[in-house]
């Protein structure tokens, strides 16, 4: 069962690995870091940019459930994006290669400004399962949308309706 879950996680992450051309001629790049060394190289480039010039990072996790305190709770992947069409995925569920300390360094850096969708869940889950504290949060799309329009009801603030609202 664990092997099937592992395969499923990586097959979903690999859907984003290959770059594709968009209609404007730019490269869309959704990639998975396959080794901590790749992520470390990316971090070196990230930290070479002065903090005030770094973009805000959109962060999202995929988890094994809804309860971060469950005995089988794990973060499966952590994904982030910093501009349209560009994202990276970190396969952290079975962290045999050492991604966790690098992810912790990255997300705990107060100069790494982060925005989430349903961040209260993601941040609590990362804290409970990986011990990651997030000091650089600048927003939560779900909460910002609620403050914009508090009349929509619980299901109106899920990602799919919001994506439809802002992209169609």
């Amino acid at each position: 069962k664990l092997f099937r879950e592992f395969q499923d996680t990586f097959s979903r992450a690999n859907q984003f690995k290959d770059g594709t051309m968009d209609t404007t001629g730019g490269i869309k790049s959704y990639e998975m870091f396959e080794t901590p060394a790749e992520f470390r190289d990316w971090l070196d480039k990230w930290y070479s940019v002065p903090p005030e010039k770094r973009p805000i990072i959109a962060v999202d996790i995929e988890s094994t459930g809804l309860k971060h305190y469950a005995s089988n709770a794990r973060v499966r992947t952590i994904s982030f994006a910093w501009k349209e069409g560009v994202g990276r995925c970190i396969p952290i569920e079975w962290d045999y290669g050492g991604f966790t300390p690098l992810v912790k360094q990255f997300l705990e850096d107060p100069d790494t400004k982060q925005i989430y969708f349903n961040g209260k869940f993601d941040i609590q889950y990362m804290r409970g399962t990986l011990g990651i504290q997030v000091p650089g949060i600048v927003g939560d799309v779900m909460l910002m949308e609620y403050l914009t329009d508090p009349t929509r009801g619980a299901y109106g603030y899920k990602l799919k309706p919001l994506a439809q609202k802002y992209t169609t």
Side-chain angles (χ1 to χ4, degrees):
K1 181 179 178 190
L2 286 176
F3 183 72
R4 280 194 311 263
E5 286 181 16
F6 184 74
Q7 281 183 312
D8 180 52
T9 298
F10 281 97
S11 68
R12 282 187 281 135
N14 277 326
Q15 292 173 10
F16 299 101
K17 186 171 183 205
D18 297 324
T20 58
M21 295 299 287
D22 70 7
T23 56
T24 62
I27 299 278
K28 286 189 176 185
S29 173
Y30 299 102
E31 297 181 10
M32 180 176 70
F33 291 112
E34 295 187 19
T35 67
E38 285 179 337
F39 184 44
R40 193 175 311 107
D41 290 344
W42 184 89
L43 283 175
D44 290 343
K45 292 175 191 166
W46 174 260
Y47 289 123
S48 72
V49 175
E52 64 277 2
K53 293 187 177 185
R54 292 182 200 148
I56 295 172
I57 293 281
V59 181
D60 187 41
I61 71 166
E62 297 301 324
S63 64
T64 56
L66 299 176
K67 297 176 180 159
H68 68 280
Y69 51 83
S71 62
N72 63 342
R74 293 184 311 276
V75 173
R76 298 185 86 159
T77 60
I78 297 176
S79 300
F80 53 94
W82 59 96
K83 67 180 181 178
E84 184 179 351
V86 179
R88 298 292 180 267
C89 177
I90 299 170
I92 202 162
E93 184 170 10
W94 290 282
D95 191 10
Y96 299 124
F99 280 107
T100 301
L102 297 170
V103 170
K104 188 172 174 63
Q105 169 195 342
F106 178 59
L107 295 179
E108 288 186 346
D109 180 354
D111 291 327
T112 300
K113 302 301 180 201
Q114 304 160 47
I115 191 163
Y116 290 79
F117 179 84
N118 196 13
K120 60 191 179 302
F121 174 84
D122 290 357
I123 291 167
Q124 186 177 38
Y125 212 95
M126 287 189 295
R127 184 181 303 135
T129 59
L130 300 171
I132 294 174
Q133 307 292 323
V134 181
I137 186 167
V138 296
D140 183 320
V141 174
M142 182 185 281
L143 293 177
M144 289 187 287
E145 184 65 17
Y146 172 78
L147 293 172
T148 303
D149 180 4
T151 65
R152 214 174 299 128
Y155 292 103
Y157 303 104
K158 293 192 178 286
L159 185 57
K160 190 172 184 178
L162 292 181
Q164 289 173 338
K165 176 182 177 182
Y166 289 108
T167 60
T168 55

